[in-house]
Amino acid sequence: MDVTVLAGGVGAARFLEGLVQVVPQERVTVISNTGDDEDFFGLRVSPDIDTVVYTLAGAIDPAHGWGLAGETYHALDALRRFGYETWFSLGDADMATHAFRTRLLREGATLSEATARIAAAFGLALRLLPVSDDRIRTLVETDAGTLTFQQYFVKRRTEDEVRAVRFEGIEDAAPAPGVLDAIAAAGVVVVAPSNPVVSIGPLLAVGGVRDALRTTAAAVVAVSPIVGGRTIKGPADRMMASLGMTPTAAGVAEAYADFLDVLVIDEEDRALAPAVEATGVRAAVAQTIMRGTAEKRALAEAALGAVQ
Ligand code: FO1
């Protein structure tokens, strides 16, 4: 059975670690968010794509959940001398990935082609697709002004109240080759436990993706990134609340109700099952907090089991 995963951020990469224990990589397609992409020092950084690659290659920095294990930061230190802002911690080895990606893009390759080369170089066998080859930028409106996602998330540590989120370039962004087919032809589509607004939101906003999810013959299952009204990591709970969404598993169900068959909610949220089901989405209860390898595998099994 082919599995397609909609992914963004660290939670998605951790979920994928479990999924590839139960489904061969050759049968997995990952569609990644690119709204977090940003240029630093002339280099194109695609954090969500790299987080998937590094995690599945066993090369991720386990303390952060992003970047490479055993990193050094000599280049970043040296760049400071020239007056660059260095709030985004790009490690020396990580920069090699960005240099390679940037070179390919400059030579006329698409982001899909560059991503495939990077994934292959790290030994991955799954298919990793950016949602679009066109540039999409997630912009966060705050009282401090309009921030790019990384300015909001890293530079200002998610401290600003989010007034609105928009995706610059989305009107002209076409789905990357293979994206709509991967949704249409999958046996199961999984929406990873990622921020519904800024990680999954850009994917759903690319023309044709939401319709493909509504019309696919595949079962569509999501794992709630909100447990007990809070996110495990990141600002999804606060962001959902300030945008008028309900920051619970039921709010996640509501956000996806038009295309979702099943939402996996945590055991702690068992009492929310009726509220989830009131949106027309079936609730499945599982342990969703992924501490170790066995728990990641069990969550993947629970998500697939919920729709099989
Ligand atoms: N996150 C941080 O909180 N601080 C950083 O300095 C930082 C650097 C960084 C470098 C490369 C990379 O691929 C990811 C990095 N991240 C950092 C994580 C990144 O901001 C987030 O993973 C995503 O954009 C959220 O999905």
Side-chain angles (χ1 to χ4, degrees), residues 8-10 33 36 45-48 50-51 54 65-67 87-91 94 98 149-150 153-154 199 233:
V10 174
N33 175 38
D36 300 4
V45 182
S46 295
D48 285 355
D50 294 344
T51 299
Y54 296 167
W66 47 264
W87 47 265
F88 198 73
S89 299
L90 287 180
D94 191 24
H98 313 315
F149 178 78
Q150 299 301 346
F153 189 75
V154 177
S199 293
K233 197 174 186 286

Side-chain angles (χ1 to χ4, degrees), residues 12-36:
R14 291 167 65 81
F15 176 80
L16 286 166
E17 276 185 281
L19 185 72
V20 299
Q21 292 179 59
V22 295
V23 179
Q25 284 204 22
E26 291 76 6
R27 310 221 66 165
V28 176
T29 299
V30 177
I31 303 175
S32 176
N33 175 38
T34 56
D36 300 4

Side-chain angles (χ1 to χ4, degrees), residues 38 87 138-142 145-165 195 198 234-240 242:
E38 193 150 332
W87 47 265
T138 297
L139 297 178
V140 182
E141 302 291 353
T142 72
T146 305
L147 306 174
T148 66
F149 178 78
Q150 299 301 346
Q151 286 168 340
Y152 160 75
F153 189 75
V154 177
K155 187 177 185 185
R156 297 177 63 87
R157 301 168 194 276
T158 76
E159 277 164 10
D160 302 278
E161 177 89 9
V162 175
R163 303 289 176 198
V165 171
N195 184 321
V198 287
D237 47 2
R238 284 180 287 125
M239 201 179 256
M240 287 174 78
S242 59

Side-chain angles (χ1 to χ4, degrees), residues 70-257:
E71 266 294 12
T72 52
Y73 294 88
H74 301 300
L76 201 68
D77 287 342
L79 283 160
R80 218 164 272 140
R81 185 180 300 137
F82 301 112
Y84 283 105
E85 284 190 50
T86 53
W87 47 265
F88 198 73
S89 299
L90 287 180
D92 296 324
D94 191 24
M95 277 200 210
T97 304
H98 313 315
F100 182 59
R101 173 187 296 113
T102 306
R103 190 198 94 196
L104 293 178
L105 293 175
R106 281 217 188 105
E107 288 172 357
T110 61
L111 183 60
S112 301
E113 289 161 350
T115 301
R117 295 274 301 272
I118 292 165
F122 275 86
L124 303 196
L126 55 66
R127 191 159 61 124
L128 176 55
L129 305 176
V131 65
S132 178
D133 283 330
D134 300 314
R135 195 74 201 275
I136 301 167
R137 289 209 312 163
T138 297
L139 297 178
V140 182
E141 302 291 353
T142 72
D143 295 340
T146 305
L147 306 174
T148 66
F149 178 78
Q150 299 301 346
Q151 286 168 340
Y152 160 75
F153 189 75
V154 177
K155 187 177 185 185
R156 297 177 63 87
R157 301 168 194 276
T158 76
E159 277 164 10
D160 302 278
E161 177 89 9
V162 175
R163 303 289 176 198
V165 171
R166 62 195 166 89
F167 309 121
E168 189 180 68
I170 204 76
E171 294 80 12
D172 303 320
V179 163
L180 298 182
D181 284 350
I183 294 169
V188 176
V189 176
V190 185
V191 183
S194 304
N195 184 321
V197 180
V198 287
S199 293
I200 303 299
L203 274 69
L204 300 178
V206 170
V209 170
R210 200 161 191 134
D211 276 341
L213 288 163
R214 288 188 189 123
T215 55
T216 180
V220 185
V221 56
V223 178
S224 175
I226 311 273
V227 174
R230 305 177 76 93
T231 23
I232 310 304
K233 197 174 186 286
D237 47 2
R238 284 180 287 125
M239 201 179 256
M240 287 174 78
S242 59
L243 294 176
M245 300 163 75
T246 312
T248 66
V252 175
E254 225 166 87
Y256 298 154

